[in-house]
Each structure stands twice: as C-alpha cells, then as structure tokens.
Amino acid sequence: MGLSTGCERLDELLGGGVPDRRSLLVSGPPGTGKTTLGMQFLQAGLDDGEDCLFVSTEQTIDELADTFEPYPFDLEAEGLTVITVHCEPGDTMERDDDLVVRTLEGGDRAVTEWFDLPFTRENVVHYLSEYGPRDRILLDSLSGLRPIAADEISFWRSTYDLIRLFSDTFDATSLLTAEDRNTGDSVASELLRYATHGVVELSWDERANQRHRFLRVEKLRGRDHDTRRHKLVFGESGVTVQPTQRTPPSALLAHDHLSTGVDALDDLLGGGLVRGGFTLLSHDGTTGYYTINTRMLASALDAGMAVAVALPAAVSLSQLDRYWTDADWTVADLLDDDRLFVLELVESNGCDHRNVLSYDDEQRDWDRLMELSYERSGDRPLFALVDTEPLLERVSRERVRAVRYRAAARYTEEDDVVVYTINPAVQDTALVEFLVDTSNQTIRIERGDDGIEWLTLRKSPTGSPGTSKVVAYDETPPYVDLV
C-alpha cells in the first residue's frame, strides 16, 4: 500500500506511491524543488482529510508562504501543522547553540515561541514528539539539523531516531529532504541513504544553455520501481513528471507482438517482438546472448511460424537441439517439414539437407536464405534470425543495405519477424548505425567487469526503452530470465 505524492507519474515510478509508514529521502542540490515536492505530498494528504505535519529547519513561516505562492498549496489548512526548528544563538547556560521553535497550527497565524533548549538530539526528538500522531510528515531539511551532532555517525543516529519517531510512534509516512552528496556533507548524505526506506534524487542538467530539473528513484526497498531519469515540470497545478510514457500510447500504435519466450523480456518490450518489423540485438561478444535467440526461435515455432536462421560460427545445428530439449520437435523434423531453413557458415556444422545452405562466393547468402524460406514455407509466417558477424566479414556494407531493404520489401509481411544480431566492437561503425537506425527495436546485451550480464532496451515503439535488467541463466528451460 502506498500514499500518493500528488503526482500520478511519480506514484507509478515508486511502484504505487510512498510506502505506508515508511520514510522517503528526497535529495538534491539547492533549487531543484525538494521543498515544493514535499509540500505537494502533504497537500495530497490534506485533500484526503489526513493530518499532516511540516517541520522546517531552514525557512520561516513567511518564507514558506512566499515559496508556495505560485502553487495550489494551503499552509492554513485545518489538518496542517507547520513548525520551524532552527539552530540559533540563545540564552541557555549550557552552550551557545540553542533550539528555538516557532509553531503555526491550523489557520491560526499567531506565532508561538518555545523556550530555549540546547540543540541536541534528545531535545529535538522530545519536542517533536508532542506533535503526534500524524498521517504524513515533511521534514525540510535534514541538512538544517546537521549541528545536532558532532560527527557523521551521531548525525545518522539522530536521523534514525527521528525516522523511528515518525514511523513507529506516530504511524506516519514521512518525506525528508537533504542536500545531495555533491553539494552537502557527502559522508552524512551517504549515511542518510541507509537510514531511509527509499531515496529520490533531484538534479540539474544543461541543454541548449537552459537548466532543467530531473528526478530519479534511486532506491526503494521491497518495490520493483522505475529507476530511469524523468523531467520535473513545475506549473500552476504543482509538480508533474515527464514523460508520462517513453513510447506513444498503445492506442496509436496497434502493434502485434510475438513472444520472445522469456516473460520478463516480453514485459520489457511491451508484449514481445514487433510483428512486421525488424529487431536488432546488439552484443559485445562475451555474453550468452544466443540463449535468448534460441528461446525466440522456439517461441516462433510454437506460434506455427517457419524459421530461417543464419547461424553464427559458434553454433551448430546439433546445439540447437540441445537448446530445445523441452520442445516437441527436433532439428531433423523441422527441416523435413519445411519449417526450418539454415545458412551454415562453418563446414563442421555440415548437414546434407535441401533446406541447409552453405556460403557461396557470389555474396548471395542472405538472398538465397530468404528466397528458400519464402518459396517452401507455404502460408506460414516467417521468423528470420540472422547473425551478421560472420557474413559481414565477406559482404560489403553497401550490399548489406541493399539486402536489408529488399528483404523487408520482398520477403517479409505484416505477420513476419526479422531479428539481426550484431557486435559493434568488431564491425563497421557506419553499418552498425545504419542497422540501429532502421530497426524498430534495439536490444543491447553486454557483460560488465564484474561478470554480470546486462540487457538494455535501447529502442522500441512499445515497452520501456532505457530500462536495464540483469540477465540470469538457469539449468532448466527456458534457461534465461531477467532480474
């Protein structure tokens, strides 16, 4: 269960709003909108009749009123209590830094000043404990409480005590703001990230000499949340997050999909591979990408399609059988039934069958494979999987362009699917860019220095472009998953 932030898209990024009775840290440099975002969270609660508390450590009541003047926020709402907790010189005998508290409750604009106390964790927690229970709390900002402790560890403990007060004693859901690690106390900022349940990062970016605000959900325990960066827009209605979608609305697209055979990959692609289109799978030569390819082939066969495959040098026909141990067919059965057509690139793969072609010197390999599939597959839709690396060692990039367009025009129809695989590190840059540019979907698989494989959806008319997932392999079919 989650509480709305007052911004529908941000609620979606958080996987359903701010988790109930948990704390969320909003971090960012000055001017990125942390306080405004926090007040919008409180206003959403006020609109639902909830009791809210705003604790400000850096601005006075009048300054807050000026800050929120452009927005539809009500600092005098019946369910809202606003207090300021400042570290200022005082008259206590113990020390020079004292706690001065001013409170504004409901619509009463009379300001009450509390007696001076040393600015300590115990005193701050004791004072704030008078204001529970609450449904929502905004503490803006933790950076203003930094003098509460002599060192970073003590500051972390103080913050943790406040979070426990809000979550456990008040049963409240809280937003806490703080300067980011680059503009504030970096050690303290890192510790705050461990103390809170989730972290939302706000940032600036320059584009064409203009500054833009951005938001990213960096961490949220126990939730499958969106980690991509989004634009923050401030308007008369408050804070909104753009884009609400990374692809055009599905009603405008009307794409049919073919399942990849991997449920998590289908979800990422918005349904699977686009029928009637061209998908490019890019890899770095170190991954097990062909495991995903074989699941795509198996899914196409399950869907009743014919399959045309240009095999890479490292994969033989017998290996395909090993990938399909969970299927009702074998390579031999598919060849005899005119459902599988193969272009071999290594003689050791040799199979004497009319549907198995080998490389010739006329550079007609792709043409011959597509022609053969088109002539013999009957009325079945076609799934073509072409590993380009071995072919491109022999075929000019001009020839590749010609074949790419001719294959699309002559041999593929609206129910067909074409997938090319390519390794940009060993192939012509202009050619790689051409294939990326003409693809409907582009998937990138690469291995990091730590050995972890990542799959990123770079381009797609549906699904979640820009999203990355960890590739996980298993001993049993479908042998691969995305985490």
Side-chain angles (χ1 to χ4, degrees):
M1 181 178 177
L3 276 66
S4 174
T5 62
C7 173
E8 183 178 352
R9 180 56 179 151
L10 179 54
D11 292 344
E12 293 174 357
L13 300 184
L14 292 167
V18 184
D20 191 22
R21 293 186 295 178
R22 295 292 185 267
S23 60
L24 187 67
L25 176 66
V26 180
S27 173
T32 47
K34 301 184 294 296
T35 305
T36 303
L37 185 63
M39 184 59 205
Q40 181 158 307
F41 167 72
L42 294 186
Q43 189 64 52
L46 295 170
D47 292 342
D48 287 340
E50 299 176 3
D51 290 324
C52 301
L53 175 65
F54 188 152
V55 183
S56 175
T57 68
E58 296 182 341
Q59 298 188 76
T60 65
I61 303 296
D62 289 339
E63 288 171 340
L64 289 173
D66 289 341
T67 298
F68 300 141
E69 195 276 332
Y71 306 108
F73 304 149
D74 185 4
L75 281 177
E76 299 185 27
E78 183 176 350
L80 177 64
T81 300
V82 183
I83 61 175
T84 63
V85 181
H86 291 177
C87 178
E88 299 177 356
D91 298 325
T92 60
M93 299 176 59
E94 291 87 346
R95 51 188 286 173
D96 293 333
D97 292 335
D98 302 314
L99 175 65
V100 178
V101 177
R102 294 179 178 87
T103 181
L104 173 68
E105 300 195 21
D108 182 7
R109 298 203 60 84
V111 175
T112 303
E113 184 172 312
W114 203 43
F115 55 87
D116 291 353
L117 284 178
F119 198 69
T120 65
R121 174 179 60 180
E122 293 79 12
N123 286 335
V124 171
V125 172
H126 173 68
Y127 176 72
L128 293 179
S129 66
E130 301 292 325
Y131 290 91
R134 298 283 167 168
D135 298 307
R136 301 184 185 217
I137 297 175
L138 169 63
L139 197 164
D140 179 53
S141 85
L142 286 169
S143 304
L145 296 180
R146 185 64 183 86
I148 204 172
D151 54 54
E152 292 86 359
I153 299 300
S154 298
F155 181 49
W156 177 83
R157 289 173 177 165
S158 300
T159 301
Y160 189 66
D161 283 348
L162 288 173
I163 292 172
R164 290 184 61 186
L165 172 69
F166 297 156
S167 300
D168 299 342
T169 305
F170 288 8
D171 287 336
T173 303
S174 57
L175 253 64
L176 304 90
T177 72
E179 299 294 310
D180 69 356
R181 67 192 85 182
N182 296 319
T183 58
D185 187 329
S186 61
V187 176
S189 296
E190 288 298 331
L191 290 172
L192 292 178
R193 282 166 161 71
Y194 288 100
T196 51
H197 190 79
V199 178
V200 173
E201 278 195 341
L202 308 188
S203 61
W204 292 107
D205 200 357
E206 294 271 350
R207 286 291 185 274
N209 296 320
Q210 292 183 328
R211 298 188 78 186
H212 299 268
R213 297 180 178 98
F214 286 88
L215 174 148
R216 186 172 73 89
V217 181
E218 183 185 77
K219 157 194 159 183
L220 195 57
R221 294 173 185 160
R223 286 264 183 97
D224 183 14
H225 62 282
D226 193 320
T227 60
R228 293 173 295 176
R229 194 172 68 151
H230 287 67
K231 179 81 165 61
L232 270 183
V233 179
F234 291 77
E236 294 181 355
S237 61
V239 183
T240 57
V241 175
Q242 297 291 339
T244 55
Q245 295 189 133
R246 295 291 178 113
T247 57
S250 57
L252 301 178
L253 299 171
H255 284 299
D256 290 329
H257 294 90
L258 171 70
S259 172
T260 63
V262 180
D263 290 343
L265 182 53
D266 288 344
D267 291 341
L268 189 63
L269 293 168
L273 303 171
V274 174
R275 287 184 180 267
F278 160 44
T279 297
L280 182 67
L281 193 154
S282 170
H283 64 95
D284 65 2
T286 68
T287 69
Y289 76 95
Y290 216 79
T291 304
I292 293 178
N293 286 1
T294 56
R295 300 323 300 175
M296 293 179 182
L297 291 169
S299 179
L301 290 166
D302 279 336
M305 303 177 77
V307 171
V309 187
L311 290 173
V315 178
S316 66
L317 285 173
S318 60
Q319 283 178 296
L320 288 181
D321 268 334
R322 290 199 292 273
Y323 281 116
W324 294 340
T325 55
D326 57 324
D328 296 330
W329 61 77
T330 65
V331 167
D333 295 335
L334 295 171
L335 290 172
D336 290 342
D337 292 342
D338 289 334
R339 294 191 62 198
L340 175 62
F341 307 90
V342 180
L343 174 62
E344 287 190 311
L345 298 163
V346 179
E347 290 185 4
S348 60
N349 291 347
C351 175
D352 185 16
H353 195 281
R354 69 191 186 104
N355 289 340
V356 178
L357 306 176
S358 58
Y359 172 79
D360 68 17
D361 292 327
E362 298 180 8
Q363 298 189 357
R364 292 192 62 252
D365 306 295
W366 292 357
D367 279 349
R368 289 193 303 134
L369 178 64
M370 297 300 286
E371 287 173 3
L372 183 66
S373 306
Y374 187 72
E375 291 170 359
R376 296 181 182 173
S377 60
D379 295 330
R380 297 186 184 95
L382 179 65
F383 181 91
L385 176 61
V386 178
D387 195 286
T388 63
E389 184 177 345
L391 290 170
L392 294 180
E393 294 177 0
R394 310 170 188 262
V395 181
S396 68
R397 67 188 190 192
E398 290 76 16
R399 173 81 175 147
V400 171
R401 289 188 176 93
V403 171
R404 158 77 182 95
Y405 285 126
R406 184 162 59 255
R410 290 185 58 189
Y411 303 123
T412 57
E413 299 179 359
E414 61 182 13
D415 289 335
D416 298 337
V417 176
V418 178
V419 178
Y420 284 20
T421 65
I422 194 164
N423 182 353
V426 297
Q427 292 169 345
D428 181 82
T429 301
L431 180 59
V432 172
E433 291 174 351
F434 161 75
L435 291 174
V436 170
D437 184 59
T438 60
S439 68
N440 299 92
Q441 296 171 308
T442 299
I443 302 167
R444 172 68 176 170
I445 304 178
E446 55 197 336
R447 185 186 298 273
D449 293 337
D450 55 4
I452 294 177
E453 287 188 26
W454 292 91
L455 184 148
T456 303
L457 181 59
R458 295 290 183 86
K459 174 183 178 182
S460 180
T462 58
S464 303
T467 301
S468 296
K469 300 283 187 179
V470 172
V471 181
Y473 296 101
D474 197 359
E475 295 285 343
T476 58
Y479 305 112
V480 64
D481 197 5
L482 302 182
V483 183

